[in-house]
Amino acid sequence: MTVKQTLFSTTLDNGIVLLGEELPGLESVAVAFHSPAGAIHDGRGRCGLATLSGEMMLRGAGSRSSRQIVEDLEGAGVQWAQAVSMSHASFSGAMVARQLSDALPIYADILRRPLLAEDELENARQMVLQNLAGTEDDPAHRAILSLREIHYPSPWGMPSEGLSADVEGLSIGDVRDFITAHVRPRGAIIAIAGRIDWSDFVPRIEQLFGDWATGAAEAVATGPRGPRVKHVPHDSQQTHIALAWSAPPYHSDDSYEATAALAVLGGGSSSRLFSEVRERRGLCYSVSAGYQTHRDFAMAVCYSGTTAARAQETLDVMLAEIHRLPGTIQEAELERVKARAKSALVMQQESSAARAGAIARQWYHLGTVRTLAEELDRYDRLSVRSIEQWLEKHPIRDLSVVSLGREPLEVRDAVSA
Amino acid sequence: MRFLRERLDNGLEVIAEVTDGALSTSIGFFVRTGARDESDDLWGASHFLEHMVFKGTKDLSADEINRRFDWMGASANAFTSEEDTVYHAAVLPSQQHEAVDLLARMMRPALREEDFATEKLVILEEIRMYDDQPPFGADDRCRAMFFGRHPLARSVLGTVESIQSLPVETMREYHARRYSPGNIVLAATGAVDFPALVESAKRLCGNWEQRDVPDRRVPMTAPVTAHLEQIVRPTATLSYAVRMSPGPAGDDDDRFAAKLLSVVIGDDSGSRLYWAMVDSGAAEHASCHHHDFLDAGLMITQLSCDAADVDPLLSRILDVYREAATQGIGQREFSQARNKLAGRVVLEGERPRRRLFHVGLEWSHGGIYRSVADNLRIVEGLTVDDLQRVLTRWPLDGPGVTVLAGPSGAEASSQAAAPA
């Protein structure tokens, strides 16, 4: 099928990249502001600084109090969100298109004129600490956090949510310094999708952000990575198993081969892990394989949660399926992977928020936005041969393995050279 | 958007909300069966059956079903609630026929003994998975206490014991009784070829045997009495509280005002509870929302915080409820909540796969269709007086059931559950 796609991009003099996608048939518009103030800049002993800073930016900006920011956004019918990842602090909103002109100045205040008042710090800190306490009660999430910690080199494996002990010690000075250094135009992306009027949007953004003085980007040195195998003691009925190995980052052309191989392994209900672990043996409720990427490195991730008594068998079957993958991919498996990926790409065009996120992500990783036609074409060019060649060139090895539960598991075959 | 409907001779209803130019088609079979239709010896059968439907028919294996969904690029799944079992797939329009064909065949599963034994293990894993997660069973326990002997007291997943003791023959009989064509709605949204949909339904479902299905509505007779219970989870970090008090049912026009009221009082952001305890970091989460069933409605309060703070924060929540009842709702917060709800209606309305659940469930429950524009008109027509009336008819600080789950027997006083 053909989907009409209209993409726009421009760069302001101070370095802010503006991206747009017009989606016919929608009443809504979604806008997302990504500032390069991610958790990789937290610094030693200050894990959680980016998250605390992102929270503080919402607590009063320009002439608006903390409460007014929320009231003004919600009063305009904006479904807003704020998130801090390793690479960015992001502020986004989806709304009926006519509300956009009211919403943009609020975001400009948040990004450019946060008050960072000392009397808001304790509340913000408590909110961050509450979220961290809530994470302690989410065993599956904790297993993935531990996996990232042991797999990625420091600081990329640190939790963007923070560490309680570090968050306790952060000061208002830390927050102000962090925002001054990292919330800036160079490296920032503003993406908009849905019912947009690009010729109206660009001058509005220029007016709100054009005179924002730029700063220099700060490089982050990567340190060592953790041990390959880790057990996290947790008194739960289920044991959570998370595995990872290195994969090419998204900007690498063979990331398509990597994600297709992972989809064959654990991407759909006809995937190998789902069939062998859940359907045939009834070992678990959830099992999957997927792909997580930063700009310069990425990982293949497998996850399952199962009763402690059956966890060893689950891990053994997962490892067996991982090691069986090279040399055995079938044409029919690839056809299903392609169909699912292409269908998901087309359906993404129905959501303004999903598209605003997707075009910003592509720009960050690629420095360009791929058209839907280019992406569909790239999937068409995937073949069993190209995936097998890639697997041969990048053998699955040096697995990182996390178990979270009552007893550690025996990891056979995972750390093979 | 156009709404179209047709009823087959055997009672199966086929409905569609057709959106010209939509990029996808969503298809769903909405079966009027769930936990409320079970008895003690069937506890958890509706949800277990939902899993078994994916295990194959007499002509199709589970592997073939999984492969066909993936091959058509479908985003397919199912869910079971107290009142409904829904099987759904979102596909590109060119795959409409394939998706309907597969889903329709699945509605007549083989229910093979060996599949039943394997899938039982998966269900037991699912029960344990939820048992390890917040709110550690407090929600199911609270609903059980609230509804007492009413059918809505039953949890969807069942228990380890009820699942282990369920025989396959009992499930087969339950399927024959509940998956009757007159008890099922086939709904579609997005880019739908309606004549083709009806043709598929006639060919694939036309020979399903009709059986009478009794009415499921059971009025709540006993008044709710205040009750407090605790679940101890030594390894939990935070404490979790769930409180339920009566609210408007699914056939009560005040349900719309109740939903807007819950946005003012207890939405995840910008609400009275948010500013009272989430903004300051006193609580990890504090919210209030409305949920309606066919014959009952609930106002559900959820709180998570440090164990030591449960009692004072539950008291504070009741204070917030009392203030709303005595001092009323302000025009500014009312407008903010109404605009927010209207925004949600528009955004959800843009995605056929979200619309499928609204359109399918509304029709399945009450034979009602409302377009996105109808929903917007309802939201925009609400007034402060409507919200005030809801507060009077269903006092949020009135008798309610509260269940706590946390690391210790948090010293919650009876105040948390008692009426004002």
Side-chain angles (χ1 to χ4, degrees), chain B residues 56-366:
Chain B
T57 68
K58 66 178 172 40
D59 304 316
L60 280 172
S61 69
D63 282 350
E64 283 169 315
I65 288 176
N66 289 333
R67 281 191 221 121
R68 277 183 65 175
F69 273 131
D70 282 353
W71 180 80
M72 66 180 95
S75 170
N77 211 333
F79 65 84
T80 306
S81 68
E82 291 82 358
E83 304 192 312
D84 303 282
T85 309
V86 179
Y87 303 86
H88 54 96
V91 291
L92 298 183
S94 60
Q95 300 296 326
Q96 174 184 316
H97 173 80
E98 266 295 311
V100 178
D101 184 90
L102 183 54
L103 285 168
R105 289 177 196 279
M106 285 165 60
M107 292 303 107
R108 291 295 175 261
L111 304 179
R112 285 179 278 261
E113 181 109 45
E114 61 272 27
D115 294 333
F116 185 80
T118 308
E119 199 60 21
K120 195 174 261 193
L121 300 173
V122 175
I123 303 286
L124 294 172
E125 287 297 340
E126 191 176 354
I127 291 173
R128 293 185 183 110
M129 178 184 81
Y130 282 112
D131 200 50
D132 275 349
Q133 286 174 8
F136 302 111
D139 45 353
D140 278 346
R141 185 69 195 146
C142 193
R143 207 173 44 253
M145 299 308 301
F146 182 92
F147 283 109
R149 300 175 70 82
H150 190 276
L152 287 168
R154 209 175 281 285
S155 70
V156 171
L157 290 181
T159 65
V160 168
E161 295 72 33
S162 75
I163 294 301
Q164 274 170 338
S165 62
L166 184 74
V168 70
E169 296 76 24
T170 310
M171 179 182 281
R172 287 183 186 136
E173 186 279 328
Y174 178 78
H175 174 267
R177 195 155 47 83
R178 302 298 309 181
Y179 280 53
S180 163
N183 207 34
I184 300 178
V185 175
L186 166 57
T189 52
V192 184
D193 179 344
F194 191 70
L197 181 69
V198 172
E199 175 55 35
S200 297
K202 282 179 179 165
R203 186 169 48 80
L204 295 156
C205 319
N207 63 349
W208 293 354
E209 190 191 337
Q210 168 70 312
R211 289 173 65 157
D212 287 338
V213 179
D215 185 28
R216 319 157 77 195
R217 284 165 216 259
V218 180
M220 286 274 288
T221 45
V224 174
T225 50
H227 183 83
L228 175 69
E229 221 176 87
Q230 302 191 9
I231 297 169
V232 178
R233 287 302 172 98
T235 57
T237 302
L238 293 177
S239 279
Y240 300 83
V242 181
R243 182 182 197 274
M244 295 182 182
S245 63
D251 58 357
D252 191 314
D253 283 345
D254 268 344
R255 67 189 187 281
F256 305 108
K259 292 197 192 303
L260 184 53
L261 174 69
S262 70
V263 176
V264 173
I265 304 281
D267 205 28
D268 286 345
S269 69
S271 65
R272 290 194 180 191
L273 291 184
Y274 177 84
W275 294 116
M277 54 193 73
V278 179
D279 175 66
S280 63
E284 190 239 357
H285 175 91
S287 67
C288 172
H289 67 273
H290 168 251
H291 187 86
D292 56 73
F293 300 98
L294 291 170
D295 43 19
L298 288 176
M299 302 304 292
I300 305 174
T301 302
Q302 288 171 294
L303 169 71
S304 55
C305 59
D306 288 340
D309 297 331
V310 170
D311 192 26
L313 289 181
L314 277 175
S315 298
R316 179 80 190 97
I317 288 174
L318 289 177
D319 287 344
V320 169
Y321 292 167
R322 255 172 240 131
E323 278 163 27
T326 54
Q327 292 165 28
I329 303 293
Q331 189 59 48
R332 188 179 158 84
E333 60 181 344
F334 170 80
S335 300
Q336 178 188 323
R338 191 172 58 180
N339 290 348
K340 195 169 165 183
L341 196 53
R344 279 181 197 162
V345 168
V346 171
L347 285 163
E348 290 192 358
E350 289 180 342
R351 306 200 73 175
R353 58 173 110 176
R354 293 270 184 85
R355 278 299 289 163
L356 179 74
F357 302 126
H358 291 278
V359 170
L361 290 174
E362 287 281 351
W363 190 265
S364 182
H365 289 182

Side-chain angles (χ1 to χ4, degrees), chain A residues 5 58 74 77 102 113 155 238 285 299:
Chain A
Q5 194 185 31
L58 284 171
E74 297 190 350
D102 287 341
R113 291 172 284 278
Q238 284 200 320
Y285 175 70
M299 66 179 185

Side-chain angles (χ1 to χ4, degrees), chain B residues 388-418:
Chain B
Q388 221 63 64
R389 186 178 59 252
V390 169
L391 279 168
T392 309
R393 284 182 72 190
W394 293 278
L396 283 168
D397 59 329
V401 174
T402 304
V403 176
L404 313 177
S408 60
E411 299 306 313
S413 70
S414 57
Q415 190 188 1

